[in-house]
Every structure is written in C-alpha cells, then in structure tokens.
C-alpha cells in the first residue's frame, strides 16, 4: 500500500522543466554565467588550434610545435571573428566565413542553454547572460590583440575588442530571443503584412544564396580538370589547399550570388560580371579553379534565376490582402530584407588581400543590394498584382457627392410619400366615422334591437311559409267579399 501511495503521489505532482521547484542559488547562477562566458571561448580556441595542428602535421618540411600552435591560434580566433589581421605589414581582410558561422552558432546555442538553466522567462531576465557572453568575447579579443603586438601577425586592439563583441551580441541576442519566445511577441506587435514580407524576404534571400551556390558548383564541375591540376601530388599540400577552400566556401557562394544577380565580383585586376569581363591573375587555390577565362554570350540567360525568385515571392504573397496596393507593399518589404542580406553577406565576403596583384577582393555591395531589390520587387509586384484578388476601384469624390445627394433626395421622396399615404388613410377614416359626433348608447341599443327583431321575423317567415299561405287562404274563404275588400 505504501508503494501504491508513493506512485500515486508522484503521478499527481506536476513536473515542469520550465518551472524548477528549487530556485538556483547565487553560487549556481555564477557558475552558469561563468560557463556561458568561457564555453564558447575555449571551444572556439580549441577548434582553431586543432585545425592548425592538422595543417602543421600534414605539411611537408614543417616542424610541429605545441607552443607555436597555441600562440598562432590567437590570431586564428580573431580571423574567425572577422577581425582584420596585419601579416608582416600587409593587411589581410578577406577572412573565411565558415568559421564565423560556426562561432555565431556556438555563441547562440550557449546563450540559449544558459537562459534555460537560469529559468529566464523574458529577455530582461536573460540580460546577465547577454552581457556576460558579449563582454567575454570583447575582452578576449582585446587580450589576444594586445598579446600579439610586435609579432608577425597582429591586429588592431580596438577592432579586436569591438568586432568579436558585436558578433557575440548578435548571436547571444538571437539565442536568448528564441529561447524566451521573443519572436512570437514581436510578431504579435508587428503589422501582419510586414511580417509576411519579412518571411518572404528571408525565403527569397535563401533562394538567391542557393542559386549562387548552384552556379559555383556547376562552374567548378565543368572546370574540374583545372581544379585537379592545382592540387599537388603531396598529401600535405593537397590537404592544406582543400581545407583552405572549404573555409572560404561561403565567400565563393557570396561571389556567385553577386554574379547571378548581375553586378559580379572582382579579385585584383580580374573583374567578372554578367555583361562584362576583364582578365587578371588569380590565386592558385582550388576554390577559384572554376573562374572563367573569357566572357560568354549565354551568361545573361542566368538572369532568369533572380527573376524567378522575385516571381516566387509575388506568388507566395498573392493572397495576403485583397487590395493590390497592400500586396505590392508586402513585396517591397521582402525586397528590403533581401537587399539588407546582400549588404551583410557582401561586406563580410570581401576585403583586402595583401598589397599584391590579388588585392582587393570585393563585391559591389551597393549595386548588388539595389539590383537584388529590383529583382524581387519588379517581378514580385507584377505577379502579386495580376494573380491576386482585385477590389472595385473607389469612386472619385465628385461621384461620392452626387451619390450622397441622390440618397438624400430618395430619402426625402420616401418621407413625403409616407406622409401622403398617412393623410389619405386618415381622411378615409374620417369619412367613415364622421368625426365630431359620437353615437349615443340608446341609438346603438335601438339599432341592435331592431336588427334582432328583423332577424327573428325573417327566420319565422322562412321557417313556416306554407302555414302562412294556407291560413291566409282559409280566412279569405270564410270572409265575405265586402269584408275582404275592406
């Protein structure tokens, strides 16, 4: 029986992960915040050191040094957080985007987990987590930059403090917002049409990135012989080139996106665009083995990809509102989201590459964002306008005034007609009842009695017609003619 009671009690008690039964102590909260601050830093630094260790171990005629790898991992961590480095007096600003995406994901996941362990219900309660992660990244970047002063690879301390802190703030804010349900709260307060436009814009940007990745993949596959010739027979050199190409793969996809939309990209003297081409030297990296050697006349046919993306946005927004103007406004919001995405991606993908013939690597951010906006808005507005519902056009103000005048006249006519009908009915009632004379009670009684007597006489006459006739005949037979005449 005691076992059954225990089981019953355990089933009756509600269990909730979001509402801990015991509130965390101050020491426990400090431990959670400390883990949130140091976790991404240690993990990211260890990942960079691991990559450098693999490159050193597989490279030919390279001497492995644990201390050297740990020291070199500091500038590598800064590069992963998009802090421009100075390599022997030559600026290196074209930094790989793949480690940056990994660092952002790690910070966001850490912030979300810490907020859940602390039982945070709102972003305000999770503010200590946000400040801790942001401050830890900023301070760690500053420490690395100060420690690298005077070495062959250095960084600006101010940039090393600001850029990692800014990226960590974006990642931590995203993780906390997702954990605390902030997107739902913001969605409830935003205009529903604007929210639909933001979602459609995010979808369109993802489609454009996929188009850029597809174009890059096809170009690399068609130039596979050139790509294979870049690899050297040595395993160490080949592994290093492969790893370098993998880290810079998102940068190549961003360049492919800019090429698909029209503006193109440039590497030093090389300029590749949809409607123009200027040759130049390129680095010997397998990632760039698919670059064309001359312009092709069929390249403009690729513009069907961004046009189809804009049409897809218009088709997805064709039912958001019955008013075509509102649908076009929603498409414009989607175009703004795509333009902002192109600005961010293009800014991170390019930069300085030393002072040699390959400097700089750039994507025309301004032109690319404007062109991407037009590719979404123009086809999207066309499709959304003609494939959705249409409300009847609003009449001009003059027509509205005339309609109001007609309605007033109709109301006046109806009132006059109703008054006329009432007057006619009243006159008919006056004629029937002779207004001004009220009938006496005696008159009514006499009328009723006379009516009753007439009805009885009529009944008697109709009931015995034969007897009256017979009696009259007999009487007339007994009376003398003179009396009968009288």
């Amino acid at each position: 029986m005691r076992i059954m009671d225990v089981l019953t009690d355990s089933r009756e008690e509600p269990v909730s992960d979001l509402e801990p039964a015991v509130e965390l102590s101050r020491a426990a909260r400090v431990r959670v915040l400390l883990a949130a601050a140091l976790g991404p830093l240690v993990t990211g630094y260890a990942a960079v050191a691991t990559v450098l260790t693999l490159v050193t171990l597989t490279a030919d005629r390279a001497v492995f040094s644990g201390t050297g790898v740990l020291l070199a991992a500091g500038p590598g961590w800064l590069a992963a957080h998009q802090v421009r480095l100075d390599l022997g007096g030559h600026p290196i600003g074209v930094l790989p985007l793949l480690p940056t995406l990994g660092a952002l994901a790690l910070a966001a996941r850490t912030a979300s987990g810490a907020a859940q362990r602390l039982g945070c219900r709102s972003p305000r309660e999770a503010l200590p987590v946000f400040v801790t992660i942001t401050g830890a990244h900023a301070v760690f970047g500053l420490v690395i930059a100060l420690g690298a002063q005077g070495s062959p690879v250095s960084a600006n301390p101010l940039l090393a403090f600001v850029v990692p802190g800014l990226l960590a703030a974006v990642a931590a804010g995203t993780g906390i917002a997702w954990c605390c349900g902030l997107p739902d709260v913001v969605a409830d307060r935003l205009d529903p049409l604007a929210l639909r436009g933001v979602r459609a814009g995010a979808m369109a940007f993802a489609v454009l990135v996929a188009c850029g990745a597809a174009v890059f993949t096809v170009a690399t596959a068609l130039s596979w012989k050139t790509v294979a010739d870049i690899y050297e027979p040595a395993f160490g050199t080949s592994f290093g080139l492969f790893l370098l190409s993998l880290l810079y793969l998102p940068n190549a996809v961003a360049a492919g996106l800019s090429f698909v939309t029209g503006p193109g990209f440039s590497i030093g003297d090389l300029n590749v665009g949809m409607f123009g081409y200027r040759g130049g030297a390129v680095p010997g990296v397998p990632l760039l083995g698919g670059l064309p050697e001359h312009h092709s006349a069929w390249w403009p046919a690729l513009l069907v990809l961004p046009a189809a993306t804009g049409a897809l946005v218009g088709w997805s927004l064709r039912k958001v509102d019955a008013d075509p103007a509102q649908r076009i406004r929603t498409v414009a919001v989607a175009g703004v989201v795509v333009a902002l995405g192109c600005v961010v991606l293009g800014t991170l993908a390019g930069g300085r590459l030393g002072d040699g013939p390959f400097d700089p690597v750039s994507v025309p951010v301004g032109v690319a964002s404007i062109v991407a906006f037009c590719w979404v808005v123009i086809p999207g507005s066309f499709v959304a306008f003609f494939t959705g519902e249409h409300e009847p056009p609003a009449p001009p103000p003059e027509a509205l005034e005339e309609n109001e005048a007609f309605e007033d006249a109709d109301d006046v006519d109806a009132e006059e007609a109703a008054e006329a009908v009432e007057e006619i009915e009243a006159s008919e009632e006056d004629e029937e009842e002779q207004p001004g004379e009220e009938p006496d009670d005696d008159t009514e009684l006499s009328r009723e009695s006379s009516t009753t007597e007439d009805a009885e006489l009529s009944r008697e006459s109709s009931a015995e017609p034969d007897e009256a006739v017979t009696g009259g005949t007999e009487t007339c037979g007994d009376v003398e003619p003179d009396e009968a005449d009288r």
Side-chain angles (χ1 to χ4, degrees), residues 355-373:
D355 295 323
F358 310 131
D359 180 53
V361 177
S362 64
V363 173
V365 176
V367 178
S369 60
I370 295 175
V371 171
F373 175 81

Side-chain angles (χ1 to χ4, degrees), residues 23-40 109-120 125-126 128-130 132-133 136:
E23 186 178 357
L24 293 177
S25 63
R26 185 174 182 179
R29 293 178 64 87
V30 171
R31 286 195 298 269
V32 171
L33 293 177
L34 187 62
L38 298 180
R109 184 174 181 180
T110 302
S112 177
Q116 289 181 355
R117 286 192 294 273
L118 293 177
C120 298
E125 295 179 359
V129 178
F130 175 81
T132 300
I133 294 177

Side-chain angles (χ1 to χ4, degrees), residues 314-374:
W315 180 260
S316 64
L317 299 176
R318 70 188 188 280
K319 295 182 179 179
V320 295
D321 197 275
D323 187 3
Q326 297 298 327
R327 295 198 296 270
I328 293 175
R329 183 173 68 90
T330 309
V331 173
V333 173
V336 171
V337 173
V338 172
L340 291 177
C342 291
V343 168
V344 174
L345 188 60
T347 302
L348 297 177
R352 297 293 303 277
L353 189 58
D355 295 323
F358 310 131
D359 180 53
V361 177
S362 64
V363 173
V365 176
V367 178
S369 60
I370 295 175
V371 171
F373 175 81
C374 294

Side-chain angles (χ1 to χ4, degrees), residues 84-94 267-269 283 351-361:
R84 192 181 70 175
L85 302 177
D86 192 351
L87 183 59
H90 302 285
I92 305 296
V94 186
I267 302 176
D269 294 333
R352 297 293 303 277
L353 189 58
D355 295 323
F358 310 131
D359 180 53
V361 177

Side-chain angles (χ1 to χ4, degrees), residues 69-474:
V69 168
L70 291 177
L71 293 176
W77 187 90
L78 292 178
H81 288 77
Q82 295 297 310
V83 179
R84 192 181 70 175
L85 302 177
D86 192 351
L87 183 59
H90 302 285
I92 305 296
V94 186
L95 303 173
L97 279 177
L98 187 62
T100 304
L101 297 177
L104 292 175
L106 180 61
R109 184 174 181 180
T110 302
S112 177
Q116 289 181 355
R117 286 192 294 273
L118 293 177
C120 298
R121 304 286 180 173
S122 63
R124 179 176 296 180
E125 295 179 359
L127 186 60
V129 178
F130 175 81
V131 174
T132 300
I133 294 177
T134 302
H137 280 75
V139 172
F140 191 66
L142 179 61
V143 170
I144 293 176
L146 293 176
Q149 293 295 317
S151 63
V153 183
S154 60
N156 187 347
L158 181 60
L159 292 178
F161 178 81
V162 173
V163 177
L166 181 60
L167 293 179
V170 173
T174 303
I176 291 172
W178 190 267
C179 172
C180 298
L182 185 59
D184 297 334
V185 176
V186 174
D188 294 338
R189 296 184 179 181
L190 282 180
D191 183 10
L193 294 181
L195 184 61
R196 287 292 302 273
V198 171
R199 292 175 179 174
M203 177 199 68
F205 183 71
V207 172
L208 288 177
V209 170
C211 292
V215 170
F216 168 77
T217 303
V218 172
T220 304
L222 294 177
S223 305
W224 182 250
K225 186 178 183 301
T226 304
V227 175
D229 292 341
I230 296 176
Y231 285 103
E232 296 183 6
F235 173 75
T237 306
S238 300
F239 178 76
L241 292 176
F242 171 76
L243 188 60
L244 184 65
S245 300
L246 182 63
L247 295 178
Y248 277 93
L249 184 60
N251 302 63
V253 171
L257 185 154
S258 181
F259 174 76
V260 168
T261 54
F265 58 93
S266 63
I267 302 176
D269 294 333
L270 176 68
N271 192 339
V272 181
M274 187 65 67
F275 301 97
Y277 180 88
R278 187 180 68 230
V282 294
V285 182
L287 184 69
L288 304 177
L291 289 176
E293 298 179 356
H294 55 82
H295 183 269
S296 297
W298 60 270
W299 284 358
L302 295 175
L303 295 176
V304 70
L305 297 177
T309 303
L312 178 62
V313 171
W315 180 260
S316 64
L317 299 176
R318 70 188 188 280
K319 295 182 179 179
V320 295
D321 197 275
D323 187 3
Q326 297 298 327
R327 295 198 296 270
I328 293 175
R329 183 173 68 90
T330 309
V331 173
V333 173
V336 171
V337 173
V338 172
L340 291 177
C342 291
V343 168
V344 174
L345 188 60
T347 302
L348 297 177
R352 297 293 303 277
L353 189 58
D355 295 323
F358 310 131
D359 180 53
V361 177
S362 64
V363 173
V365 176
V367 178
S369 60
I370 295 175
V371 171
F373 175 81
C374 294
W375 278 122
V376 172
V377 172
I378 296 176
S381 300
F382 184 85
V383 174
F385 182 86
F386 288 101
T387 60
E389 299 179 359
H390 290 269
E391 291 183 346
E398 297 80 2
L400 291 176
E401 294 177 357
E402 294 178 359
N403 291 335
E404 291 177 357
F406 286 135
E407 290 177 358
D408 295 339
D410 293 340
D411 294 338
V412 172
D413 294 341
E415 293 177 357
E416 292 180 354
E419 293 178 356
V421 171
E422 291 178 357
E423 291 179 358
I424 294 171
E425 293 178 352
S427 61
E428 291 178 354
E429 292 178 356
D430 294 340
E431 292 178 357
E432 291 178 357
E433 296 182 358
Q434 294 180 357
E437 296 181 359
E438 295 182 358
D440 297 336
D441 295 338
D442 297 337
T443 306
E444 291 179 356
L445 291 174
S446 61
R447 287 178 181 175
E448 291 178 358
S449 59
S450 61
T451 304
T452 306
E453 292 177 355
D454 294 340
E456 290 178 355
L457 291 174
S458 61
R459 288 195 193 100
E460 291 177 356
S461 60
S462 59
E464 297 178 355
D466 297 337
E467 294 178 357
V469 173
T470 307
T473 305
E474 293 177 353

